[in-house]
């Protein structure tokens, strides 16, 4: 039985739109679900998210960044994810532990074995049953975030700290995610996110229908 589903992938791979579509699909089939995200799924998390993504240009060392994500996760698991799973809901979570491995590990170069231990403290044993990895070429994803910013009402640049990173950083993150998926083929499904949104939705429904069967 699938309860905890996480959505992972680089910036601009379309996760957020697809999670909303999946929520409607599951709700229409009578399944109770909860949509949430990291960072920012709790009140504390919303504060941490502002620090992490905006930070007003103040430098954040890689290990400080790591602990902020972990603090967000620990609060999120205890306050939101575990109670929802205990109530029998399907939890659809936009990013989770694999983002820490991909961004802080493969991207920033922190030790992966250590990150797995820290993730274990933060998730307190709550692990995803299924992880959908949204994969697409870096240029496609970053092109989407750029056009999202151009359409923002103020027209002001709204890139977050990660979107300002070099292409090489995003490439390492992508390779990292694919590596993680290869290591755990039972939990991961890689979704080709470069396709039109309708095709991606269909692929996700097939995966979920199969998982719920
Ligand atoms: P967000 O705007 O939520 O990204 P997206 O819409 O692409 O999912 O920003 C979250 C950023 O935080 C994203 O660039 C990935 C990063 N991140 C980490 O570096 N480590 C983590 O553990 C998590 C959860 C996110």
């Amino acid at each position: 039985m699938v309860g905890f589903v996480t959505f992972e992938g680089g910036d601009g791979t379309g996760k957020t739109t697809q999670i909303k579509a999946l929520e409607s699909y599951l709700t229409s089939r009578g399944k109770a679900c909860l949509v949430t995200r990291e960072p920012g799924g709790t009140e504390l998390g919303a504060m941490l998210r502002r620090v992490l993504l905006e930070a007003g240009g103040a430098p954040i060392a890689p290990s400080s960044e790591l602990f902020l994500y972990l603090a967000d996760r620990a609060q999120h698991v205890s306050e939101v994810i575990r109670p929802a799973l205990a109530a029998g809901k399907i939890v659809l979570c936009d990013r989770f532990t694999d983002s820490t491995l991909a961004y802080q590990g493969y991207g920033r170069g922190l030790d992966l074995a250590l990150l797995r231990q820290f993730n274990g403290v933060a998730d307190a044993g709550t692990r995803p049953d299924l992880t959908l990895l949204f994969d697409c070429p870096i240029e496609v994803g970053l092109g989407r975030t750029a056009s999202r910013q151009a359409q923002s009402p103020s027209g002001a640049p709204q890139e977050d700290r990660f979107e300002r990173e070099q292409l090489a950083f995003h490439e390492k993150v992508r390779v990292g995610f694919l590596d993680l998926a290869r290591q755990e083929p039972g939990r991961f499904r890689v979704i080709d996110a470069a396709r039109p949104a309708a095709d991606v939705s269909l692929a996700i429904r097939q995966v979920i229908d199969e998982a719920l069967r």
Side-chain angles (χ1 to χ4, degrees):
M1 170 64 193
V2 166
F4 186 20
V5 184
T6 58
F7 296 75
E8 298 280 9
D11 297 67
T13 46
K15 292 182 277 85
T16 311
T17 314
Q18 294 296 341
I19 292 171
K20 281 194 203 127
L22 180 60
E23 180 190 24
S24 309
Y25 175 68
L26 287 173
T27 308
S28 74
R29 299 186 62 208
K31 310 266 183 211
C33 48
L34 175 101
V35 172
T36 187
R37 69 167 176 182
E38 291 193 2
T42 62
E43 206 177 322
L44 172 68
M47 292 189 256
L48 294 172
R49 183 181 173 89
R50 279 197 293 280
V51 173
L52 276 161
L53 298 184
E54 294 162 20
I60 302 184
S63 48
S64 315
E65 180 183 85
L66 166 69
F67 288 117
L68 290 168
Y69 279 112
L70 294 170
D72 171 74
R73 178 160 310 128
Q75 187 68 26
H76 191 212
V77 168
S78 75
E79 189 180 321
V80 175
I81 299 176
R82 290 183 93 140
L85 292 172
K89 290 184 182 160
I90 297 177
V91 174
L92 307 177
C93 187
D94 194 342
R95 299 194 180 282
F96 196 59
T97 43
D98 298 302
S99 278
T100 304
L101 298 174
Y103 282 82
Q104 279 66 54
Y106 290 84
R108 300 271 191 240
L110 298 182
D111 183 74
L112 285 168
L114 209 56
L115 292 181
R116 287 185 193 280
Q117 285 185 28
F118 286 136
N119 266 340
V121 176
D123 71 22
T126 300
R127 305 273 152 82
D129 300 302
L130 176 68
T131 297
L132 303 184
L133 172 58
F134 284 53
D135 179 63
C136 73
I138 304 303
E139 302 72 28
V140 175
L142 293 180
R144 284 179 189 158
T145 57
S147 67
R148 210 155 60 197
Q149 283 145 21
Q151 285 159 16
S152 83
S154 70
Q158 295 196 330
E159 280 184 319
D160 68 34
R161 284 190 324 109
F162 284 92
E163 286 155 8
R164 284 194 294 270
E165 283 289 344
Q166 305 294 317
L167 279 185
F169 174 83
H170 292 284
E171 198 62 63
K172 282 191 252 176
V173 170
R174 182 183 186 202
V175 167
F177 273 128
L178 289 170
D179 207 25
L180 295 171
R182 267 191 297 272
Q183 288 169 32
E184 277 185 80
R187 170 166 69 91
F188 276 91
R189 298 289 178 279
V190 180
I191 304 286
D192 171 5
R195 291 172 293 173
D199 297 354
V200 177
S201 288
L202 207 62
I204 292 172
R205 285 179 189 189
Q206 278 165 0
V207 168
I208 291 288
D209 285 341
E210 191 188 315
L212 290 174
R213 214 172 283 142

